């Protein structure tokens, strides 16, 4: 048997190194685990400082011993290649791993073990954890804002219809496929508007009129994001084309428009839409606050979308334009069939980025008195009966926003894969 | 062989201060095959790009098939639909299948019914021997196949004139032949062709006339045999001695 060199693990004594390394590693993890979950310090006999670093040192030595390249054991090689390439990486791996172990018990106890959900008043929350009772009691407000309780089914029905209509594309037959763009860009928004106007606003067909000031919560987040996404995209596309136009008038108007909206903070735009804009309108002309806000956000985001799309247009090789022109295509045919399909595909990540930012910007509409999810939270946390639960509220909102945004980013990633082509 | 299909008179073009075309005069008869050669930067590509107005000329006049090239976009689009072009970098549309590449312009520019356009495209793809690849995308094809598809795409517009801008320069040596073969076949079919190329073998086999350009001017224009056997200017002799 060849000599065992502690500092330089080798393949000859693979098993010796492997077992001793794994042994040390498991002791170090066990130590942190027991410390974290049962609050028992198994190295109490060591000085404070040494006791603290004990698992890290043991772990690093353990990882050092099993760092044998091309050992032939699949999992070990995988581990070495991914998280254990050098001492520095081993330390980072251990620290991250320990932080995760350490943070599980407090997070668990706040979220579940010490949390309350029973009861219907502040007094029911006696534990040291989260007070989900608060979310439970306020849930309808968070979802529907000040929309009257007996009428809330109207929002649900409208949303179910909207989601169902959005999936039409999946079931369209071959013959109808070519009308899909038309459907999504023009017909669908109109249907959505009619649905929301007659069902959520009401006022006819025996439905009670609910003014937009009472709308709120997550449903308002959806409504605002939905219309802004739908409007800002075509406007942005036209602006992007306009900025690259050969006609100076169109080019300068586009540049001016884009630079104006990009240079102004969204909060100012919202203020202007609700305070200044009505001053310029004739007195008998009325435009709903929500509509004004949606137009303002759409134009604001359109400027960003325009610049993203322009990036895609510029990334296309000039040969694509030459080829399309040489086949006799005019400006619009060239852009619709050749340039835009390729440019838009290139900018899917950038567009997704802008759209995510848009969704997360919607809470700003509180400045004009519209309270979507985050706005309702702000209202609820100042209610005298429910003081002191800001944390629960914000965690709740964070989770919901994260779910929305993560699904959007997943969707955009799928689109990217779907439309990937080789050059 | 008497009707003029292209007539260029005193064509001048500048890129900024740099003059790329200097008083170029050129007449092309229908069904004539012309090869344009010359060192790089001599204005060969610019010359043929002016014919379908991918580049604008600033002075002089260009008449293609009886139409004067002017600012009028409708007029330009009409001329472009009659003038096919094949590029050095193929410039296929990567998001469309080979078949769709070929049918796009006939359907949307010429308003041809889809069925008819597809039949025509398949016929043209067969001519260049890539009919079996029609459902693939450009990125899945070799360079030679892509260039042959580009030729088929241009032919689907039933052009009267075909322009080739160094069609074989971006190809691997073993693929050049397949593209040249397709071009030779096209020439035998009686197409009017203007070809910018360094393939002198092709010029000798196909061309009626060879034009030698240098520094934006047509230095020499002669019938093919005459051009190779007996070049007049020293510049042409030097070029031929280097290239042959």
């Amino acid at each position: 048997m060849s000599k065992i060199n502690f500092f330089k693990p080798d393949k000859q004594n693979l098993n010796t190194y492997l077992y001793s390394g794994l042994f040390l590693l498991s002791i170090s993890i066990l130590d942190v685990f027991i410390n974290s979950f049962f609050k028992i310090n198994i190295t109490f006999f060591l000085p404070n400082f040494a006791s603290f670093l004990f698992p890290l040192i043991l772990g690093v030595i353990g990882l050092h011993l099993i760092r044998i390249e091309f050992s032939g054991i699949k999992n070990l090689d995988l581990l070495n290649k991914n998280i254990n390439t050098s001492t520095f990486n081993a330390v980072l791996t251990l620290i991250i791993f320990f932080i995760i172990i350490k943070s599980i018990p407090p997070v668990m106890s706040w979220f579940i073990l010490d949390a309350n959900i029973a009861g219907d008043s502040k007094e029911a929350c006696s534990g040291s954890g989260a007070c989900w009772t608060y979310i439970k009691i306020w849930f309808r407000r968070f979802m529907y804002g000040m929309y009257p309780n007996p009428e809330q089914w109207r929002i649900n029905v409208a949303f179910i219809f909207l989601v169902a209509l959005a999936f039409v594309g999946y079931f369209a037959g071959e013959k109808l496929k070519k009308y899909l763009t038309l459907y999504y860009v023009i017909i669908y928004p109109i249907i959505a508007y009619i649905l929301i106007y007659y069902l959520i606003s009401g006022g006819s067909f025996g439905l009670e009129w609910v003014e937009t000031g009472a709308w709120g919560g997550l449903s308002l987040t959806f409504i605002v994001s939905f219309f802004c996404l739908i409007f800002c995209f075509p406007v942005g596309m036209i602006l992007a084309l306009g900025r690259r136009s050969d006609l100076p008038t169109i080019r300068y108007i586009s540049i001016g428009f884009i630079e104006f909206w990009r240079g102004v903070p969204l909060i100012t735009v919202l203020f202007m839409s609700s305070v200044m804009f009505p001053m310029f309108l004739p007195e008998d002309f009325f435009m709903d606050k929500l509509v004004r806000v949606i137009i303002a956000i759409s134009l604001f985001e359109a400027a960003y979308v325009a610049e993203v799309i322009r990036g895609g247009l510029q990334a296309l090789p000039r040969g694509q334009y030459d080829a399309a022109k040489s086949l006799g295509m005019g400006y619009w045919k060239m852009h619709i069939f050749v340039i835009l399909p390729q440019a838009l595909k290139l900018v899917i990540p950038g567009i997704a980025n802008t759209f995510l930012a848009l969704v997360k910007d919607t809470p700003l509409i509180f400045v004009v008195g519209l309270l979507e999810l985050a706005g309702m939270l702000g209202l609820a946390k100042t209610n005298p009966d429910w003081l002191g639960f800001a944390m629960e509220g914000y965690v709740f909102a964070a989770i919901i926003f994260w779910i929305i945004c993560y699904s959007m980013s997943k969707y955009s990633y799928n689109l990217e894969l779907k439309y990937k082509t080789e050059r | 062989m008497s009707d003029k299909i292209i007539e260029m008179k005193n064509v001048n073009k500048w890129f900024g201060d740099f003059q790329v075309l200097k008083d170029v005069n050129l007449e092309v008869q229908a069904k004539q095959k012309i090869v344009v050669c010359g060192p790089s930067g001599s204005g060969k590509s610019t010359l043929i790009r002016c014919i379908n107005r991918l580049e604008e000329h600033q002075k002089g006049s260009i008449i293609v098939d009886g139409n004067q090239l002017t600012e009028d976009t409708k007029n330009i689009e009409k001329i472009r639909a009659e003038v096919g072009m094949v590029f050095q970098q193929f410039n296929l549309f990567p998001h469309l299948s080979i078949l769709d590449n070929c049918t796009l312009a006939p359907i949307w520019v010429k308003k041809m019914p889809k069925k008819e356009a597809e039949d025509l495209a398949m016929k043209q793809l067969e001519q260049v021997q890539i009919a079996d690849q029609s459902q693939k995308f450009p990125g899945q094809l070799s360079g030679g196949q892509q260039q042959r598809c580009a030729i088929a795409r241009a032919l689907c517009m039933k052009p009267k004139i075909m322009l080739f801008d160094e069609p074989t320069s971006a190809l691997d040596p073993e693929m050049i032949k397949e593209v040249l073969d397709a071009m030779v076949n096209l020439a035998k079919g009686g197409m009017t062709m203007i070809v910018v190329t360094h393939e002198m073998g092709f010029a000798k086999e196909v061309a009626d006339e060879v034009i030698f350009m240098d520094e934006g001017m047509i230095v020499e224009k002669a019938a093919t045999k005459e051009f190779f056997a007996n070049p007049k200017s020293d510049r042409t002799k030097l070029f031929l001695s280097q290239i042959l």
Side-chain angles (χ1 to χ4, degrees):
Chain A
M1 196 176 177
S2 57
K3 219 171 131 196
I4 289 177
N5 182 347
F6 183 79
F7 294 103
K8 217 174 164 347
D10 55 50
K11 232 171 143 177
Q12 273 86 44
N13 300 303
L14 184 75
N15 282 345
T16 321
Y17 286 119
L18 192 59
Y19 288 128
S20 47
L22 285 179
F23 176 70
L24 291 178
L25 191 62
S26 31
I27 288 186
S28 80
I29 292 170
L30 193 70
D31 176 43
V32 179
F33 184 79
I34 290 174
N35 197 331
S36 168
F37 281 79
F38 305 105
K39 308 236 180 309
I40 300 167
N41 188 358
I42 50 172
T43 53
F44 62 91
F45 49 85
L46 288 170
N48 225 343
F49 179 68
S51 161
F52 187 71
L53 285 180
F54 173 76
L56 188 60
I57 294 164
L58 270 197
V60 170
I61 298 172
L63 283 177
H64 174 77
L65 287 179
I66 61 171
R67 195 179 300 134
I68 306 159
E69 280 178 77
F70 311 118
S71 59
I73 304 167
K74 199 178 152 213
N75 288 336
L76 181 65
D77 281 344
L78 216 58
L79 176 106
N80 280 335
K81 203 179 132 203
N82 290 323
I83 58 174
N84 191 21
T85 45
S86 66
T87 312
F88 179 68
N89 279 352
V91 171
L92 281 185
T93 303
L94 284 171
I95 289 178
I96 291 167
F97 199 57
F98 290 165
I99 288 175
I100 292 172
I101 296 177
K102 278 270 188 192
S103 57
I104 289 173
V107 170
M108 286 278 283
S109 74
W110 190 82
F111 266 91
I112 298 164
L113 298 177
D114 293 335
N116 289 87
I117 194 160
D120 46 17
S121 72
K122 189 181 176 180
E123 281 64 40
C125 291
S126 49
S128 57
C131 180
W132 299 126
T133 316
Y134 165 75
I135 303 292
K136 187 182 75 180
I137 299 297
W138 283 85
F139 188 75
R140 274 170 176 261
R141 295 277 89 87
F142 290 156
M143 293 298 117
Y144 306 107
M146 295 304 178
Y147 208 86
N149 283 0
E151 305 290 331
Q152 281 160 7
W153 62 269
R154 283 155 55 178
I155 297 184
N156 294 342
V157 171
F159 276 38
I160 289 170
F161 268 112
L162 284 183
V163 172
L165 286 172
F167 281 100
V168 162
Y170 281 100
F171 305 108
E174 268 310 309
K175 272 199 160 167
L176 295 172
K177 275 261 150 67
K178 57 182 163 184
Y179 299 113
L180 273 185
T181 322
L182 182 77
Y183 171 74
Y184 279 115
V185 174
I186 297 169
I187 301 174
Y188 185 59
I190 293 175
I191 295 178
Y193 180 77
I194 293 172
L195 255 178
I196 286 176
Y197 184 79
Y198 283 106
L199 207 51
I200 301 187
S201 251
S204 48
F205 301 118
L207 293 173
E208 189 191 328
W209 168 262
V210 183
E211 57 141 1
T212 50
W215 302 13
L218 188 62
S219 54
L220 186 63
T221 308
F222 279 134
I223 292 173
V224 172
S225 316
F226 174 81
F227 280 111
C228 291
L229 292 189
I230 284 184
F231 291 143
C232 77
F233 188 68
V235 177
M237 205 153 77
I238 289 166
L239 283 173
L241 293 178
R243 192 165 185 167
R244 284 168 61 82
S245 169
D246 290 333
L247 307 169
T249 332
I250 294 178
R251 187 167 65 244
Y252 288 120
I253 289 175
S254 304
I255 292 177
F257 187 93
I258 291 171
E259 295 304 337
F260 170 76
W261 290 97
R262 283 210 305 174
V264 184
L266 181 57
I267 209 156
T268 322
V269 172
L270 291 171
F271 258 127
M272 289 205 295
S273 78
S274 84
V275 182
M276 304 225 338
F277 183 63
M279 288 188 210
F280 298 109
L281 292 177
E283 268 186 25
D284 53 347
F285 186 87
F286 172 78
M287 197 191 254
D288 192 273
K289 185 159 71 176
L290 183 61
V291 176
R292 290 197 306 251
V293 160
I294 287 176
I295 292 174
I297 299 182
S298 301
L299 293 180
F300 181 84
E301 297 293 342
Y304 286 89
V305 171
E307 287 298 277
V308 172
I309 294 179
R310 190 167 69 96
L313 291 174
Q314 266 162 358
L316 286 190
R318 191 179 150 199
Q320 292 293 315
Y321 292 88
D322 285 349
K325 281 185 197 160
S326 77
L327 290 167
M329 292 190 202
Y331 181 85
W332 289 108
K333 280 174 190 159
M334 172 171 82
H335 277 92
I336 291 171
F337 298 117
V338 178
I339 303 303
L340 282 175
Q342 297 183 62
L344 293 182
K345 192 160 55 190
L346 282 176
V347 298
I348 290 173
I351 297 270
N353 222 358
T354 315
F355 281 6
L356 286 178
L358 190 157
V359 171
K360 291 190 289 181
D361 277 347
T362 52
L364 279 178
I365 61 175
F366 85 91
V367 299
V368 298
L370 290 170
L371 299 176
E372 47 63 76
L373 179 57
M376 284 312 294
L377 282 171
L379 194 70
K381 81 176 184 207
T382 52
N383 185 304
D385 290 340
W386 292 94
L387 286 176
F389 297 113
M391 176 94 162
E392 284 82 349
Y394 285 125
V395 169
F396 175 69
I399 292 172
I400 288 193
F401 269 105
W402 185 83
I403 291 172
I404 295 172
C405 293
Y406 185 69
S407 359
M408 284 173 69
S409 96
K410 261 282 178 231
Y411 180 68
S412 87
Y413 188 67
N414 285 344
L415 277 186
E416 245 176 273
L417 291 183
K418 187 174 157 194
Y419 291 117
K420 204 164 126 190
T421 45
E422 297 160 66
R423 270 219 158 266
Chain B
M1 293 268 281
S2 61
D3 45 340
K4 280 179 279 185
I5 196 158
I6 299 173
E7 192 177 6
M8 301 176 94
K9 265 190 203 151
N10 296 328
V11 173
N12 282 276
K13 175 165 180 61
W14 288 265
F15 283 133
D17 287 338
F18 179 69
Q19 188 165 10
V20 266
L21 294 180
K22 294 173 189 162
D23 276 334
V24 172
N25 288 294
L26 178 66
E27 275 181 17
V28 182
Q29 313 294 330
K31 306 202 170 177
Q32 214 177 8
K33 285 101 190 124
I34 291 182
V35 164
V36 184
C37 61
S40 51
S42 59
K44 317 181 289 286
S45 292
T46 314
L47 177 75
I48 70 164
R49 286 168 68 89
C50 277
I51 294 174
N52 66 354
R53 214 179 169 80
L54 287 180
E55 303 283 359
E56 272 173 50
H57 61 284
Q58 279 113 3
K59 241 175 89 182
S61 79
I62 302 177
I63 297 172
V64 179
D65 198 24
N67 293 298
Q68 174 97 23
L69 284 184
T70 53
E71 291 285 332
D72 179 16
T73 39
K74 278 281 161 278
N75 187 23
I76 294 170
E77 277 161 30
K78 209 177 107 202
I79 289 173
R80 280 176 183 162
E82 288 177 7
V83 181
M85 186 156 186
V86 175
F87 301 88
Q88 184 178 359
Q89 298 296 341
F90 328 139
N91 295 344
L92 293 177
F93 306 134
H95 62 299
L96 297 176
S97 70
I98 296 302
L99 185 62
D100 289 341
N101 261 283
C102 295
T103 57
L104 183 70
I107 290 175
W108 292 100
V109 178
K110 287 202 141 178
K111 317 277 181 216
M112 202 183 270
K114 194 175 178 202
K115 184 80 185 65
E116 195 187 326
E118 278 177 0
D119 290 345
L120 174 65
M122 287 311 289
K123 210 181 91 197
Q124 296 295 356
L125 288 172
E126 243 157 62
Q127 288 276 311
V128 293
Q129 291 160 16
I130 44 169
D132 50 335
Q133 314 280 348
S134 65
Q135 293 310 317
K136 288 192 181 169
F137 284 84
Q140 298 164 317
L141 265 55
S142 74
Q145 288 171 324
Q146 288 193 46
Q147 192 61 298
R148 283 183 283 154
C149 170
I151 294 173
R153 177 177 70 174
L155 289 176
C156 282
M157 289 296 285
K158 296 182 179 162
K160 293 184 178 165
I161 306 163
M162 283 288 283
L163 308 174
F164 293 84
D165 187 2
E166 306 202 24
T168 54
S169 301
L171 293 173
D172 290 342
E174 66 261 41
M175 292 173 182
I176 290 178
K177 193 176 173 303
E178 60 189 52
V179 171
L180 288 180
D181 284 348
M183 288 165 65
V184 170
N185 281 336
L186 185 60
K188 283 178 186 158
M191 176 65 73
T192 312
M193 292 164 79
I194 301 180
V195 185
V196 172
T197 187
H198 297 295
E199 298 293 329
M200 289 304 132
F202 173 80
K204 281 177 183 165
E205 186 181 346
V206 169
D208 300 318
E209 273 186 355
V210 180
I211 290 174
F212 176 72
M213 284 188 76
D214 191 27
E215 294 179 346
M217 285 178 291
I218 294 183
V219 176
E220 187 150 354
K221 178 173 187 265
T224 311
K225 272 188 190 150
E226 179 75 11
F227 181 86
F228 287 107
N230 197 353
K232 286 191 189 71
S233 83
D234 292 341
R235 187 65 190 86
T236 317
K237 281 177 197 159
L238 180 67
F239 179 76
L240 286 176
S241 71
Q242 280 163 349
I243 207 165
L244 289 174

Short mmCIF file of all heavy atoms in Angstrom, two decimals, chain B residues 58-82:
data_model
loop_
_atom_site.label_atom_id
_atom_site.label_comp_id
_atom_site.label_asym_id
_atom_site.label_seq_id
_atom_site.Cartn_x
_atom_site.Cartn_y
_atom_site.Cartn_z
N GLN B 58 -25.86 59.75 -57.96
CA GLN B 58 -26.14 61.17 -57.78
C GLN B 58 -26.18 61.95 -59.09
O GLN B 58 -26.78 63.01 -59.17
CB GLN B 58 -25.12 61.80 -56.81
CG GLN B 58 -25.48 61.54 -55.36
CD GLN B 58 -24.49 60.64 -54.66
OE1 GLN B 58 -23.50 60.24 -55.24
NE2 GLN B 58 -24.77 60.30 -53.42
N LYS B 59 -25.49 61.44 -60.09
CA LYS B 59 -25.47 62.14 -61.38
C LYS B 59 -25.60 61.13 -62.49
O LYS B 59 -25.17 59.99 -62.36
CB LYS B 59 -24.15 62.92 -61.52
CG LYS B 59 -24.32 64.43 -61.65
CD LYS B 59 -22.97 65.11 -61.67
CE LYS B 59 -22.43 65.23 -63.09
NZ LYS B 59 -21.07 65.85 -63.09
N GLY B 60 -26.18 61.56 -63.61
CA GLY B 60 -26.32 60.66 -64.74
C GLY B 60 -27.68 60.01 -64.74
O GLY B 60 -28.53 60.31 -63.91
N SER B 61 -27.89 59.09 -65.69
CA SER B 61 -29.20 58.46 -65.75
C SER B 61 -29.06 56.96 -65.93
O SER B 61 -28.12 56.47 -66.55
CB SER B 61 -30.02 59.06 -66.89
OG SER B 61 -29.61 58.49 -68.11
N ILE B 62 -29.97 56.23 -65.33
CA ILE B 62 -30.01 54.79 -65.49
C ILE B 62 -31.42 54.44 -65.96
O ILE B 62 -32.40 54.82 -65.32
CB ILE B 62 -29.70 54.07 -64.17
CG1 ILE B 62 -28.33 54.47 -63.63
CG2 ILE B 62 -29.77 52.55 -64.37
CD1 ILE B 62 -27.99 53.86 -62.29
N ILE B 63 -31.50 53.74 -67.07
CA ILE B 63 -32.80 53.31 -67.58
C ILE B 63 -32.83 51.79 -67.59
O ILE B 63 -31.96 51.15 -68.20
CB ILE B 63 -33.06 53.86 -68.99
CG1 ILE B 63 -33.09 55.39 -68.94
CG2 ILE B 63 -34.36 53.32 -69.55
CD1 ILE B 63 -33.13 56.04 -70.30
N VAL B 64 -33.76 51.21 -66.85
CA VAL B 64 -33.87 49.77 -66.81
C VAL B 64 -35.21 49.38 -67.43
O VAL B 64 -36.26 49.80 -66.94
CB VAL B 64 -33.78 49.25 -65.36
CG1 VAL B 64 -33.94 47.74 -65.34
CG2 VAL B 64 -32.46 49.63 -64.73
N ASP B 65 -35.14 48.59 -68.47
CA ASP B 65 -36.33 48.11 -69.14
C ASP B 65 -37.30 49.25 -69.47
O ASP B 65 -38.50 49.16 -69.25
CB ASP B 65 -37.04 47.05 -68.25
CG ASP B 65 -38.01 46.23 -69.09
OD1 ASP B 65 -37.81 46.15 -70.31
OD2 ASP B 65 -38.95 45.68 -68.49
N GLY B 66 -36.73 50.34 -69.97
CA GLY B 66 -37.56 51.46 -70.38
C GLY B 66 -37.97 52.40 -69.27
O GLY B 66 -38.61 53.41 -69.51
N ASN B 67 -37.65 52.06 -68.01
CA ASN B 67 -38.02 52.93 -66.89
C ASN B 67 -36.81 53.68 -66.35
O ASN B 67 -35.81 53.07 -65.98
CB ASN B 67 -38.62 52.12 -65.74
CG ASN B 67 -39.93 51.50 -66.12
OD1 ASN B 67 -40.89 52.19 -66.43
ND2 ASN B 67 -39.96 50.17 -66.13
N GLN B 68 -36.94 54.98 -66.29
CA GLN B 68 -35.87 55.78 -65.70
C GLN B 68 -35.90 55.61 -64.17
O GLN B 68 -36.96 55.65 -63.56
CB GLN B 68 -36.12 57.25 -66.06
CG GLN B 68 -35.19 58.23 -65.40
CD GLN B 68 -34.04 58.60 -66.32
OE1 GLN B 68 -34.14 58.49 -67.54
NE2 GLN B 68 -32.93 59.01 -65.74
N LEU B 69 -34.73 55.39 -63.56
CA LEU B 69 -34.67 55.27 -62.10
C LEU B 69 -34.73 56.65 -61.48
O LEU B 69 -33.84 57.47 -61.69
CB LEU B 69 -33.39 54.58 -61.66
CG LEU B 69 -33.31 53.07 -61.85
CD1 LEU B 69 -32.02 52.54 -61.26
CD2 LEU B 69 -34.48 52.38 -61.18
N THR B 70 -35.81 56.87 -60.73
CA THR B 70 -35.94 58.18 -60.08
C THR B 70 -36.29 57.99 -58.62
O THR B 70 -36.25 56.87 -58.10
CB THR B 70 -37.08 58.99 -60.73
OG1 THR B 70 -38.25 58.18 -60.73
CG2 THR B 70 -36.72 59.41 -62.13
N GLU B 71 -36.65 59.08 -57.95
CA GLU B 71 -37.01 59.01 -56.54
C GLU B 71 -38.30 58.23 -56.31
O GLU B 71 -38.55 57.73 -55.22
CB GLU B 71 -37.19 60.43 -55.99
CG GLU B 71 -35.91 61.24 -55.89
CD GLU B 71 -35.04 60.78 -54.73
OE1 GLU B 71 -35.61 60.27 -53.75
OE2 GLU B 71 -33.82 60.94 -54.81
N ASP B 72 -39.14 58.18 -57.34
CA ASP B 72 -40.47 57.61 -57.20
C ASP B 72 -40.41 56.16 -56.70
O ASP B 72 -39.97 55.26 -57.40
CB ASP B 72 -41.17 57.67 -58.56
CG ASP B 72 -42.56 57.07 -58.50
OD1 ASP B 72 -43.06 56.91 -57.38
OD2 ASP B 72 -43.12 56.78 -59.57
N THR B 73 -40.90 55.93 -55.47
CA THR B 73 -40.72 54.61 -54.87
C THR B 73 -41.50 53.52 -55.58
O THR B 73 -41.05 52.39 -55.69
CB THR B 73 -41.13 54.61 -53.38
OG1 THR B 73 -42.27 55.43 -53.22
CG2 THR B 73 -40.01 55.12 -52.52
N LYS B 74 -42.70 53.86 -56.05
CA LYS B 74 -43.51 52.83 -56.73
C LYS B 74 -42.79 52.33 -57.98
O LYS B 74 -42.74 51.14 -58.26
CB LYS B 74 -44.88 53.43 -57.12
CG LYS B 74 -45.86 53.43 -55.99
CD LYS B 74 -46.49 52.04 -55.82
CE LYS B 74 -47.11 51.86 -54.45
NZ LYS B 74 -46.19 51.51 -53.37
N ASN B 75 -42.20 53.29 -58.70
CA ASN B 75 -41.44 52.95 -59.88
C ASN B 75 -40.26 52.04 -59.53
O ASN B 75 -40.00 51.04 -60.20
CB ASN B 75 -40.95 54.26 -60.52
CG ASN B 75 -40.29 54.03 -61.86
OD1 ASN B 75 -40.57 53.01 -62.50
ND2 ASN B 75 -39.44 54.94 -62.27
N ILE B 76 -39.56 52.38 -58.45
CA ILE B 76 -38.41 51.58 -58.03
C ILE B 76 -38.85 50.17 -57.67
O ILE B 76 -38.22 49.19 -58.07
CB ILE B 76 -37.71 52.24 -56.82
CG1 ILE B 76 -37.10 53.58 -57.24
CG2 ILE B 76 -36.63 51.34 -56.27
CD1 ILE B 76 -36.62 54.40 -56.09
N GLU B 77 -39.96 50.08 -56.92
CA GLU B 77 -40.43 48.74 -56.53
C GLU B 77 -40.78 47.92 -57.76
O GLU B 77 -40.55 46.71 -57.80
CB GLU B 77 -41.63 48.86 -55.60
CG GLU B 77 -41.21 49.10 -54.15
CD GLU B 77 -42.34 49.66 -53.32
OE1 GLU B 77 -43.51 49.36 -53.61
OE2 GLU B 77 -42.06 50.42 -52.36
N LYS B 78 -41.34 48.58 -58.76
CA LYS B 78 -41.70 47.87 -59.99
C LYS B 78 -40.44 47.33 -60.66
O LYS B 78 -40.39 46.18 -61.11
CB LYS B 78 -42.45 48.83 -60.93
CG LYS B 78 -43.44 48.14 -61.84
CD LYS B 78 -44.18 49.15 -62.69
CE LYS B 78 -43.69 49.07 -64.12
NZ LYS B 78 -43.97 50.31 -64.87
N ILE B 79 -39.42 48.17 -60.73
CA ILE B 79 -38.17 47.73 -61.37
C ILE B 79 -37.52 46.62 -60.56
O ILE B 79 -37.06 45.62 -61.11
CB ILE B 79 -37.21 48.93 -61.52
CG1 ILE B 79 -37.76 49.88 -62.58
CG2 ILE B 79 -35.82 48.46 -61.89
CD1 ILE B 79 -37.01 51.17 -62.70
N ARG B 80 -37.51 46.77 -59.26
CA ARG B 80 -36.88 45.74 -58.43
C ARG B 80 -37.54 44.39 -58.60
O ARG B 80 -36.90 43.35 -58.53
CB ARG B 80 -36.93 46.15 -56.95
CG ARG B 80 -35.85 47.15 -56.60
CD ARG B 80 -36.02 47.59 -55.18
NE ARG B 80 -35.03 48.60 -54.83
CZ ARG B 80 -35.15 49.40 -53.79
NH1 ARG B 80 -36.21 49.29 -53.00
NH2 ARG B 80 -34.22 50.28 -53.51
N ALA B 81 -38.88 44.41 -58.79
CA ALA B 81 -39.58 43.15 -58.98
C ALA B 81 -39.16 42.48 -60.29
O ALA B 81 -39.30 41.27 -60.45
CB ALA B 81 -41.08 43.38 -58.97
N GLU B 82 -38.61 43.26 -61.21
CA GLU B 82 -38.18 42.68 -62.49
C GLU B 82 -36.70 42.36 -62.51
O GLU B 82 -36.21 41.76 -63.47
CB GLU B 82 -38.48 43.67 -63.62
CG GLU B 82 -39.94 43.79 -63.94
CD GLU B 82 -40.20 44.82 -65.01
OE1 GLU B 82 -39.22 45.34 -65.58
OE2 GLU B 82 -41.38 45.09 -65.27
#
